[in-house]
């Protein structure tokens, strides 16, 4: 399973050279260099050139390099041809509605890859009611798919509902997506919080996403990164708990007992898995010592 | 001869009585007495009111070769400097020295007066606009003296900048010469930069367009130091005096830098009761203040004071109880003016109180942290805020060197790339503030700590902040933008950069027209 940290995935407009150059300084786990919504149709060619150049020359540090291409039925083919040979880590495919869409994307990506290139991963952006319904099939369509992400603005328009800050209208889509991703063993990434000036709203929305099981959140402004990380980072009490779980398991193993318990509760496999994930995250973030 | 920063300073400089070179931020102690202006008397029936500037010139009288001083609280809205110099030119005066605490684009007529020999010397702490450019191209035969805000106070108090007549642009005055900066159409708030002039000039003239009944209140500059009062039609354009509400930058890179700068202050352990702070009015400086504010609010910290140029943002922090006092030498916006007029915890202080190194203690000495900018910084942490990448003067120390010397932690915030130029160089073109007084450089791609501050480095590393060697940051920038060529300057010295203690830290040489 792909264990790459994707707490925050930051959109960078593909037609803004300054932002493309500085995209790596904000500490986002992934940067998404955007060819779709941020770029007018007349500027797609220029943005492709800029992004291809940025991929070859700009140091994005620890941030994963993701490119959001245009929808498969518009400029996706040209986008993929231009950017895939420049070694992005992943392609964010918008408006995915079926496993078939993933197969199409995989074919185009594979055809554009250089012979020695690490296979480019796929993150599927689900932003239609149909896409949500097909979430599990999409996640399972190809091993390149490492995450499902929710695009709530288009999805809500598709529903014919009003988009609100509380997000009642996207509750179903969120839970379906998280469930499908978990079932398929891929990550789930929440929709961006679009009011960059409302830090409290962002915090509440991100906390909700975490409670629902999301592993990360899309972001439309660098100012959002710290808040998002603060939510998805394991807390000290999370880490303490996880260490106690692992300790209890080891102790039980050493004593030859098949059953471990912590504070009177049985420690079963799902609890161990959760504890291991927390410790893995904590190690990745340098919050605790240990092999990465 | 070379000064302590390795800068080549000529042994003789035209217009400078004795060339003393910079020896270190605290290595040149004073050895003089304070300047004593003429003692005067005014009889009960005397009037101080005169009808025109021409009458003032006749009465004093202003003669060839005198030094006339001005403050810059009206910034780019100032009308008084031009008015006074026009009068001087009409009266056929020559060889005047203008001691104006900062020069703005509005002062462009100074160029003609210089060409006509009316003004032959300039003494200032900051210049921007046409005059700065003309100076860089060799406008004056003798070099312009560029001081710090505290250094100007020192030079006046110690008799090194002897003022014959101080023309004080006064937003409000009464007929006996009491002045304040908070009433009238040209209200500018604090009049702090005029305080030393009023104390030590031989003659002090209040120039106002707003007369109030005697006695005016509150009093910033008292009648006891003011010889004459002139009412004119208009002292300045309020639009150029007061900036709009200063806004926090929205530039994500600027915000990232601000965030890291605030985290440095926090890591240094300074965000606690009694915290004192100075920051500029620029977008990124203000953004740092915003992050610091959140940290203070979160920890329930009440600071002691905020210092320097005051904006509405600082006023709001005072009113919300985040700082107990504001120490204000210069106000930038309407909120600052209104606050200093009504809030007893908002103190108006002079340039000497603010930052002069040669008195019994200035306010910058009490600073915990200051956020400063830089045009260039070198790998020894020396900062240039005088000349731009083309060698042309585009600023000046102002309070930069003063606050840097005084504060416990001095942080320079700067984008690693300014336009297409790396901010870090091997050697700054014009040394303004010595590296020994700069502790931390915060950029969007990492934080460099002055090797003199191992204590700070440990704390900042422990906080998990991205610490890099300054050389490493320099190479990072050059990898992106390349290393810029050193610019070529001419031989003629157009300005001397005086450190706050009166020694010469660098000289500025002429650029091509």
């Amino acid at each position: 399973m792909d264990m790459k940290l994707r707490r925050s995935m930051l959109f960078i407009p593909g037609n803004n050279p300054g932002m493309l150059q500085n995209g790596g300084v904000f500490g986002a786990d992934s940067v998404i260099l955007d060819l779709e919504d941020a770029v007018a149709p007349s500027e797609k060619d220029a943005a492709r050139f800029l992004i291809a150049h940025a991929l070859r020359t700009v140091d994005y540090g620890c941030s994963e390099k993701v490119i959001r291409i245009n929808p498969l039925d518009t400029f996706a083919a040209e986008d993929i041809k231009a950017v895939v040979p420049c070694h992005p880590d992943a392609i964010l495919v918008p408006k995915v509605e079926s496993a078939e869409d993933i197969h199409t994307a995989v074919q185009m990506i594979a055809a554009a890859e250089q012979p020695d290139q690490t296979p480019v991963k796929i993150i599927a952006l689900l932003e239609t009611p149909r896409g949500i319904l097909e979430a599990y099939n999409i996640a399972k369509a190809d091993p390149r798919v490492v995450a499902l992400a929710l695009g709530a603005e288009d999805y809500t328009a598709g529903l014919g509902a009003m988009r609100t800050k509380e997000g009642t209208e996207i509750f179903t889509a969120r839970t379906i997506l998280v469930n499908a991703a978990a079932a398929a063993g891929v990550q789930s990434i929440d929709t961006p919080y679009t009011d960059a000036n409302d830090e409290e709203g962002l915090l509440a929305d991100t906390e909700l996403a975490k409670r629902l099981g999301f592993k990360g959140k899309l972001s439309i402004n660098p100012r959002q990164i710290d808040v998002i990380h603060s939510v998805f980072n394991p807390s000290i009490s999370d880490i303490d708990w996880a260490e106690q779980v692992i300790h209890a398991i080891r102790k039980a193993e050493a004593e030859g007992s098949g059953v471990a318990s912590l504070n009177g509760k049985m420690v079963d496999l799902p609890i161990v898995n959760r504890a291991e994930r927390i410790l893995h995250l904590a190690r990745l973030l340098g919050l605790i010592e240990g092999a990465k | 001869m070379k000064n302590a920063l390795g800068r080549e300073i000529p042994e003789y400089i035209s217009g400078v009585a004795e060339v003393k070179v910079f020896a270190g931020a605290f290595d040149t102690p004073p050895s003089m007495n304070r300047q004593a202006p003429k003692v005067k008397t005014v009889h009960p029936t005397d009037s101080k009111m005169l009808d025109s500037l021409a009458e003032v010139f006749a009465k004093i009288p202003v003669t060839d070769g005198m030094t006339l001083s001005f403050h810059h609280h009206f910034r780019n809205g100032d009308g008084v400097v031009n008015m006074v110099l026009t009068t001087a030119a009409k009266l056929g005066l020559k060889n005047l020295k203008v001691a104006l605490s900062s020069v703005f684009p509005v002062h462009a007529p100074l160029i003609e007066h210089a060409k006509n020999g009316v003004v032959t010397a300039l003494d200032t702490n900051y210049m921007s606009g046409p005059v700065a450019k003309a100076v860089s191209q060799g406008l004056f035969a003798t070099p312009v003296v560029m001081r710090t805000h505290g250094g100007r106070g020192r030079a006046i108090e110690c008799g090194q900048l002897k003022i014959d007549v101080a023309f004080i642009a006064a937003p409000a005055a009464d007929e006996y010469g009491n002045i304040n900066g908070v009433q009238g159409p040209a209200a500018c708030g604090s009049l702090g930069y005029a305080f030393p002039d009023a104390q030590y000039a031989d003659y002090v003239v209040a120039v106002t367009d707003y007369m109030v009944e005697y006695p005016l209140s509150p009093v910033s500059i008292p009648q006891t130091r003011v010889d004459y009062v002139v009412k004119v039609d208009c002292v300045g354009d309020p639009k150029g005096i007061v900036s709009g509400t200063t806004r926090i930058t929205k530039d994500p890179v600027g915000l990232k830098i601000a965030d890291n700068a605030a985290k440095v202050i926090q890591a240094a352990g300074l965000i606690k009761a009694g915290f004192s702070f100075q920051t500029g009015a620029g977008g990124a400086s203000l953004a740092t203040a915003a992050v610091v504010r959140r940290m203070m609010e979160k920890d329930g910290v009440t600071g002691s004071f905020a210092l320097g140029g005051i904006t509405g943002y600082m006023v709001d922090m005072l009113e919300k109880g985040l700082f107990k006092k504001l120490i204000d030498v210069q106000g930038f916006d309407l909120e600052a003016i209104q606050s200093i007029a009504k809030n007893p915890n908002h103190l108006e202080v002079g340039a000497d109180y603010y930052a002069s190194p040669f008195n019994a203690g200035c306010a910058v000495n009490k600073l915990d942290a200051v956020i400063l900018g830089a045009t260039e910084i070198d790998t020894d942490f020396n900062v240039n805020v005088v000349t731009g990448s083309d060698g042309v003067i585009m600023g000046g120390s102002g309070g930069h060197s003063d606050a840097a010397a005084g504060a416990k932690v001095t942080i320079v915030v700067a984008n690693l790339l300014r336009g297409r130029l790396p901010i870090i160089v091997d050697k700054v073109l014009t040394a303004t503030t010595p590296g020994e007084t700069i502790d931390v450089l915060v950029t969007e791609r990492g934080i460099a700590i002055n090797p003199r501050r191992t204590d700070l480095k440990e704390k900042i590393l422990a906080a998990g902040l991205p610490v890099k060697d300054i050389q490493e940051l320099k190479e990072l920038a050059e990898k992106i933008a390349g290393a810029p060529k050193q610019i070529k300057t001419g031989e003629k010295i157009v300005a001397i950069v005086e450190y706050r203690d009166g020694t010469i830290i660098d000289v500025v040489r002429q650029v091509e027209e």
Side-chain angles (χ1 to χ4, degrees), chain B residues 113-138:
Chain B
H113 296 309
K115 285 182 178 161
N116 296 334
V118 178
V119 177
T120 49
L122 177 62
D123 191 300
T124 189
N125 313 339
Y126 176 99
M127 346 179 207
S128 64
V131 174
K133 190 167 180 202
V135 166
S136 300
Q137 291 166 347

Side-chain angles (χ1 to χ4, degrees), chain B residues 247-249 254-266 271 275 277-280 282-296 313-314 317 369-372 411-414 442:
Chain B
R247 288 215 173 81
I248 294 169
T249 183
L255 288 170
K256 170 84 188 174
I257 294 170
D259 198 54
N260 275 340
K263 283 175 180 160
V264 166
I265 297 173
Q266 188 175 46
I271 309 263
F275 174 58
F277 186 48
Q278 178 173 341
T279 185
S285 302
L286 218 51
T288 309
V291 186
V292 165
R293 175 186 188 148
R294 281 204 294 277
M295 289 169 173
M296 292 172 76
Y313 198 83
M314 289 298 167
M317 289 183 77
V370 62
I371 305 290
L372 299 168
I411 299 168
V412 167
V413 292
V442 177

Side-chain angles (χ1 to χ4, degrees), chain A residues 17-267:
Chain A
M19 283 298 289
L20 285 173
Q21 180 192 297
N22 289 318
V25 308
F26 304 112
D29 290 335
S30 309
V31 288
I32 305 172
L33 314 184
D34 190 13
L35 281 166
E36 196 206 12
D37 288 353
V39 183
S42 59
E43 288 187 11
K44 300 284 186 199
D45 52 344
R48 263 178 223 126
F49 181 84
L50 278 173
I51 288 180
H53 194 66
L55 284 171
R56 284 194 299 264
T57 57
V58 176
D59 179 5
Y60 287 102
C62 298
S63 301
E64 177 186 43
K65 295 177 283 187
V66 182
I67 314 298
R68 175 160 75 171
I69 57 170
N70 286 284
L72 295 165
D73 55 358
T74 63
F75 310 104
E78 288 158 83
D79 294 345
I80 286 171
K81 228 181 269 173
V83 302
V84 163
C86 305
H87 297 261
D89 295 306
I91 297 288
L92 178 64
V93 185
K95 303 209 168 58
V96 177
E97 294 201 308
S98 64
E100 194 49 43
D101 285 346
I102 296 295
H103 297 318
T104 308
V106 168
Q107 269 177 13
M108 290 197 277
I109 290 168
E113 278 169 350
Q114 308 283 91
D116 58 343
Q117 190 170 349
T118 312
V120 175
K121 296 166 192 157
I122 290 177
I123 297 167
L125 186 57
L126 311 187
E127 39 191 342
T128 60
R130 186 167 166 230
I132 295 296
L133 266 189
E134 292 290 322
Y136 177 73
N137 293 332
I138 291 166
K140 289 298 270 185
D142 192 279
R144 287 187 191 239
V145 177
V146 292
L148 301 181
L150 176 62
E153 305 306 311
D154 285 313
Y155 168 77
T156 320
L159 276 188
M162 173 95 102
R163 183 80 178 96
T164 66
K165 279 194 171 178
E166 299 72 41
T168 326
E169 70 285 355
I170 61 167
F171 186 77
T172 307
R174 276 173 156 166
T175 52
I176 289 177
L177 186 146
V178 168
N179 188 64
V186 303
Q187 286 176 339
S188 47
I189 311 294
D190 192 30
T191 190
Y193 190 74
T194 51
D195 184 352
N197 293 319
D198 179 4
E199 200 169 289
E200 280 175 27
L202 170 67
L203 183 66
D205 197 53
T206 311
E207 281 173 343
L208 172 64
K210 188 188 178 187
R211 281 201 301 278
L212 293 178
F214 281 103
K215 302 298 177 286
K217 195 164 174 66
L218 298 171
S219 164
I220 44 104
N221 192 301
R223 282 146 66 192
Q224 298 181 322
I225 305 293
D226 277 1
V227 172
I228 293 175
H229 286 187
S230 74
V231 173
F232 284 107
N233 283 352
S235 65
I236 290 169
S237 62
D238 286 344
I239 295 169
D240 281 349
W241 171 84
E243 281 179 336
Q244 284 173 28
V245 168
I246 301 303
H247 180 75
I249 281 286
R250 295 224 174 102
K251 196 172 152 220
E253 280 169 4
E255 287 166 0
S257 158
V259 185
S261 71
L262 178 64
N263 302 331
K265 285 183 192 160
M266 196 178 82
V267 176

Side-chain angles (χ1 to χ4, degrees), chain B residues 260-271 275-279 288 364-372 400 402-413 436-442 447-450 453 455-457 459-460:
Chain B
N260 275 340
K263 283 175 180 160
V264 166
I265 297 173
Q266 188 175 46
L270 297 174
I271 309 263
F275 174 58
S276 58
F277 186 48
Q278 178 173 341
T279 185
T288 309
V364 294
N365 290 350
K366 303 293 283 176
L367 269 179
D368 284 336
V370 62
I371 305 290
L372 299 168
H400 197 284
D402 299 313
K408 284 195 192 80
V409 175
T410 298
I411 299 168
V412 167
V413 292
E436 68 175 289
T437 63
I438 303 290
D439 300 316
V440 184
L441 166 67
V442 177
I447 296 169
I449 298 159
N450 193 324
R453 295 299 304 264
D455 57 323
L456 260 185
K457 186 170 180 177
K459 290 176 181 169
I460 294 169

